[in-house]
Amino acid sequence: MATDNIRKNIMLTQPRFVLAVPGLKVSVPFYRDKLGMDVEFEEGGWCFLSRDNFSLMLGECPDAIAPKALGDHSYFAYITVTDATALFEEFNSKLVEMMKPLTDEPWGMREFGIVSVDGHRIMFGEELDSNQDVSLNS
């Protein structure tokens, strides 16, 4: 197909998630202090943050629908990580609100979910292999 030839030259390199937040003064400290993200840029109602290959663009939108009011539509990302257990423990020690405990799933992921200060939901998961301890659900 002609589109296959075109697509061979194009690569999607890194996702950058864009979130509307009620206020940067509340949201930025959550992502920086609780999730360990670095602030890259902040100006004019925007803040760009990152941790490793996970990048966010927070836009201040005080009149937008609150993410907490979106229910299941407040999920915005599933981030694959190298050590879900250690990350879960890191976030737990910083009192990040958990919406799903650390769980080994039948689809081969050890995962957990958090809720941001604004109500956005993020899932984190590590691919399990046959040599990994799968005793979490026992």
Side-chain angles (χ1 to χ4, degrees):
M1 291 184 127
T3 55
D4 288 342
N5 289 332
I6 294 170
R7 288 167 57 175
K8 287 180 185 178
N9 297 323
I10 299 170
M11 188 169 140
L12 306 178
T13 60
Q14 180 184 346
R16 187 173 293 229
F17 299 95
V18 181
L19 294 177
V21 297
L24 292 177
K25 287 183 180 178
V26 172
S27 300
V28 171
F30 171 82
Y31 288 99
R32 183 190 62 224
D33 303 337
K34 300 271 188 176
L35 302 191
M37 300 186 81
D38 295 319
V39 174
E40 297 175 353
F41 172 84
E42 189 170 3
E43 186 177 318
W46 285 95
C47 184
F48 296 8
L49 303 104
S50 67
R51 177 173 173 170
D52 304 318
N53 291 321
F54 177 41
S55 297
L56 286 176
M57 298 167 63
L58 303 180
E60 190 166 49
C61 300
D63 298 326
I65 297 170
K68 290 178 182 180
L70 297 175
D72 287 341
H73 294 281
S74 66
Y75 281 98
F76 81 90
Y78 190 107
I79 309 301
T80 303
V81 301
T82 57
D83 189 340
T85 303
L87 190 62
F88 175 82
E89 291 170 356
E90 175 189 327
F91 291 170
N92 213 21
S93 74
K94 294 179 181 178
L95 304 177
V96 173
E97 181 183 348
M98 300 291 168
M99 48 139 272
K100 179 184 179 182
L102 188 63
T103 308
D104 288 344
E105 295 295 358
W107 48 85
M109 298 297 286
R110 174 171 288 161
E111 62 184 31
F112 68 95
I114 68 165
V115 180
S116 78
V117 68
D118 302 310
H120 292 104
R121 296 190 244 180
I122 311 169
M123 294 293 297
F124 295 89
E126 171 188 3
E127 292 184 41
L128 295 172
D129 62 37
S130 58
N131 298 324
Q132 217 163 348
D133 177 22
V134 290
S135 61
L136 285 177
N137 298 334
S138 303

